[in-house]
Amino acid sequence: MSAIKIENLHKTYASGVHALKGLSFEIKKGEFFALLGPNGSGKTTMINILAGPTIKTSGTVKIGGTDIEKDREKTKMILGVVPQEISFDSFFSVNEVLILQSGYYGIKNNQKYIDEILEKLNLQDKKHANTRALSGGMKRRLLVAKALVHKPKVLVLDEPTAGVDVELRHNLWHYMRKLNKEGLTILLTTHYLEEAESLCTRTAIIDKGELVALQKTKDLIQSMGNAKKLTLTFGKKVSKIPEALLPFDPKKQNDHEIILHFETQDINKILKALESIKYPIVDLDLQGKKLEDVFIELTYNRNGKL
Ligand code: ADP
Ligand code: MG
């Protein structure tokens, strides 16, 4: 049974920006799923379509098996959304924020549950504190608490750790892990690769509104495990990439550097190729590829930004 199923989703804003271009993927119940993408790739657009404020142009979106167009109220109840921006009405206390949010979902007399959430997110001491008096980390946790008051089955977090310090980031990871272990399905958007690497079973990568990868996170990393990146530095200006290097996906870094990509089993082929070229090699730098490289290759390089 899928928690979220998106098929051929398109969004074109009134401005003409085509933010989502036929996005399709499915998140299963209980999964901790990462959606990675650089700024402007369409992550928030996708989340806002799931959550309601943004209307899709075409395609289908099902939450918990129900089409969002068929039963908006039902699908809204299934989702809890932690938005990218922190904003609280500064007149209210932590407890009041959560009571108001419950009211928004038509839930009354849920103080006991609110207390449980506060406990789980380590905010019980701040129950009666004004939201203005909270630290950045506490505010983030209050946003998570707010997203949980109506007992959603799927929690969607839009870059919850963007711009937060390392300690708070690890803190939030701890809470997200705990919630997922307790059965909550989590969709996390981020542009931190280590976050997907450390938390998520599957990772999708989007770029310019298109899906460019979707795999188990460890397979995504492993698929690159044998791949190597070799940076060659030449003693003189390289005007044209030598023909012998062409099989190794060469990228000219600058006038003196070429980066080659190859599988470990092709090491002898590459050594032969290096021997055959006339340019003097003055330095070599060999690296294994990481998720970071995959991400950069699939996004920035594709756009010719690097
Ligand atoms: P991300 O969350 O991955 O950074 P967004 O979904 O915010 O990406 O943006 C995707 C693209 O859509 C960008 O080009 C952005 O400028 C554009 N965009 C986002 N929101 C709007 C809007 N309300 N009106 C017009 N264009 C928008
Ligand atoms: Mg965003």
Side-chain angles (χ1 to χ4, degrees), residues 13 15 17 19 37-46 84 158-159:
Y13 284 104
S15 62
V17 173
N39 279 331
S41 56
K43 303 183 296 296
T44 298
T45 300
M46 201 271 308
Q84 200 167 346
D158 195 357
E159 304 210 36

Side-chain angles (χ1 to χ4, degrees), residues 65-82:
T66 302
D67 194 310
I68 55 168
E69 278 180 344
K70 297 232 168 71
D71 196 339
R72 195 67 251 190
E73 290 313 306
K74 186 174 169 191
T75 57
K76 269 189 183 166
M77 285 302 283
I78 298 172
L79 276 195
V81 180
V82 179

